[in-house]
Amino acid sequence: MAAPMLRLCCPGRRWALACIDGCSRHRRGAPNGCTSSRKRGQSSVAQQPFITAQKPRKGEHEWAAVVGLEIHAQISSKSKLFSGSQVHFAAPPNSLVSFFDASLPGTLPVLNRRCVEAAVMTGLALNCRINKKSLFDRKHYFYADLPAGYQITQQRLPIAVNGSLVYSFCAGKNRSQVINKTARVKQIQLEQDSGKSLHDDLRSQTLIDLNRAGVGLLEVVLEPDMSCGEEAATAVRELQLILQALGTSQANMAEGQLRVDANISVHHPGEPLGVRTEVKNLNSARFLAKAIDYEIQRQINELENGGEILNETRSFDSKLGCTIPMRDKEGKQDYRWLLLLSKYHSVLGSGTYFKSTY
């Protein structure tokens, strides 16, 4: 019987995406029995992207990685989601803040029609089912850059659900093989952005800029259908092109208009999914790929050394090339979800209309 084929998907890592008996798996290190004729100093991955491997011996560990994404895209609109304040990048601090953005008592939100239309267009482009009735919720948590003490978002009934994102990436020798994949879109929801905290380490103080508070965001939630950093980065780039082509978002990651949270876990094939960690606020496709690959290897090393994975939030340090703990989620945070007395109907077909009541 011919030996199974091992395809190295993410070069430069100690684990690889292996096709063994029809299953995609991650394995540590190079497979036993591999030979290489590479020159001194040359990567074995670059020299031999396809390596014939023996079946894993009894006791040899294999790992499968699971990656899901939450992508936040700033909507291309002249004003914010619930106020008339303008939206400009690099404006003077706190110069684009309305009474509602600052959460002064007695102020009421007015829904931005442009943001709703942008969400519907994006949902249709991603083959989603558009909910003709959609609801807003209040998500309560306390940060200095969130003056209201809650975020207006959509948790129960988002604007679009059950879509798909098709993307392609190159693999194989000289990256000449094109692989087409599909990631399921769980939902697309509208929500407010928060303000920005500026940390002054020299003076040991934090300054708050509320220009970004209340800006309309599209949150696109992708199901955990990806398995490595390169694949996740390719999916984000594809979504970025779709948003730019539609004109629903400029999706400029350098200006913070597209930010990604990655949920990552590893497990043995055939076993339940492992404990996941979340790496937040990744604003570069390259950093996204590096953060995911590092976190996969970190979790594998931790488990093989007898440790355990904590359900925690981490950030990626681009200078050190590693993820750093931010806060744990062991005690599940109670966001005290509260349904807002608001609704809107998508502008689709005859008999539908736009309405906002508070």
Side-chain angles (χ1 to χ4, degrees):
M1 181 178 178
M5 187 67 70
L6 175 68
R7 184 192 309 280
L8 295 182
C9 171
C10 298
R13 302 294 168 191
R14 295 176 61 192
W15 51 268
L17 179 63
C19 297
I20 300 177
D21 297 336
C23 297
S24 295
R25 299 167 183 167
H26 292 282
R27 299 182 58 206
R28 288 194 59 193
N32 293 331
C34 291
T35 59
S36 174
S37 59
R38 69 183 185 276
K39 297 179 181 179
R40 183 178 181 87
Q42 186 176 13
S43 169
S44 61
V45 175
Q47 182 72 11
Q48 293 191 9
F50 293 96
I51 302 175
T52 301
Q54 301 296 326
K55 286 188 177 181
R57 294 176 298 182
K58 186 176 181 180
E60 187 175 5
H61 294 297
E62 295 177 353
W63 295 95
V66 177
V67 180
L69 300 178
E70 299 173 8
I71 305 168
H72 302 83
Q74 180 178 316
I75 299 173
S76 293
S77 175
K78 295 181 180 179
S79 58
K80 297 183 180 181
L81 182 59
F82 290 109
S83 76
S85 298
Q86 293 184 337
V87 177
H88 289 299
F89 178 73
N94 296 310
S95 61
L96 303 175
V97 185
S98 69
F99 291 151
F100 178 77
D101 301 330
S103 300
L104 295 184
T107 56
L108 295 175
V110 178
L111 183 59
N112 185 338
R113 182 186 183 110
R114 161 62 183 165
C115 294
V116 177
E117 293 173 344
V120 172
M121 290 173 61
T122 304
L124 293 175
L126 295 178
N127 307 307
C128 293
R129 175 172 61 85
I130 308 299
N131 290 323
K132 292 188 176 181
K133 180 181 179 181
S134 189
L135 303 174
F136 283 103
D137 302 275
R138 280 172 37 165
K139 179 182 179 181
H140 295 80
Y141 58 94
F142 300 99
Y143 288 161
D145 52 19
L146 191 69
Y150 61 84
Q151 177 193 39
I152 300 179
T153 181
Q154 295 184 301
Q155 191 248 358
R156 293 176 175 85
L157 193 58
I159 193 168
V161 294
N162 300 334
S164 60
L165 173 65
V166 180
Y167 58 95
S168 304
F169 63 97
C170 297
K173 189 174 182 179
N174 299 323
R175 302 179 65 84
S176 59
Q177 181 182 1
V178 178
I179 299 177
N180 298 317
K181 295 203 66 175
T182 300
R184 293 169 296 158
V185 177
K186 179 181 179 181
Q187 65 187 53
I188 298 176
Q189 60 194 51
L190 284 169
E191 64 182 24
Q192 290 177 305
D193 204 349
S194 62
K196 188 175 182 180
S197 298
L198 306 173
H199 304 289
D200 187 346
D201 295 331
L202 185 62
R203 299 181 180 180
S204 299
Q205 63 182 6
T206 298
L207 305 177
I208 304 298
D209 181 9
L210 294 180
N211 280 348
R212 202 175 66 183
V215 170
L217 294 180
L218 282 175
E219 181 176 352
V220 181
V221 181
L222 299 184
E223 296 280 12
D225 296 332
M226 291 149 281
S227 58
C228 69
E230 180 183 0
E231 188 178 346
T234 303
V236 170
R237 291 190 187 100
E238 183 66 25
L239 178 61
Q240 183 182 35
L241 292 175
I242 292 174
L243 296 174
Q244 291 171 344
L246 292 172
T248 55
S249 174
Q250 296 180 11
N252 187 338
M253 301 189 81
E255 295 183 0
Q257 296 174 350
L258 191 69
R259 306 189 295 273
V260 185
D261 301 338
N263 294 283
I264 306 155
S265 68
V266 298
H267 66 284
H268 292 300
E271 296 182 0
L273 297 180
V275 177
R276 67 180 175 89
T277 59
E278 183 179 23
V279 183
K280 293 189 70 70
N281 294 327
L282 297 162
N283 59 357
S284 161
R286 182 166 59 92
F287 291 160
L288 171 66
K290 288 184 176 181
I292 291 174
D293 290 345
Y294 174 87
E295 184 61 21
I296 291 173
Q297 187 59 58
R298 185 193 70 83
Q299 293 187 20
I300 292 175
N301 291 341
E302 185 72 22
L303 292 172
E304 291 193 343
N305 290 328
E308 62 177 354
I309 303 302
L310 300 179
N311 183 211
E312 61 183 354
T313 300
R314 302 176 71 91
S315 64
F316 180 68
D317 189 319
S318 58
K319 294 181 180 179
L320 298 178
C322 64
T323 61
I324 301 172
M326 293 175 61
R327 58 184 182 272
D328 66 76
K329 296 183 177 180
E330 288 297 331
K332 188 174 181 181
Q333 186 170 359
D334 182 11
Y335 290 115
R336 294 179 294 139
W337 291 97
L338 178 65
L339 178 65
L340 281 177
L341 297 178
S342 63
K343 63 181 179 180
Y344 63 80
H345 294 257
S346 303
V347 187
L348 292 174
S350 60
T352 57
Y353 60 96
F354 178 89
K355 183 179 181 181
S356 178
T357 57
Y358 293 88

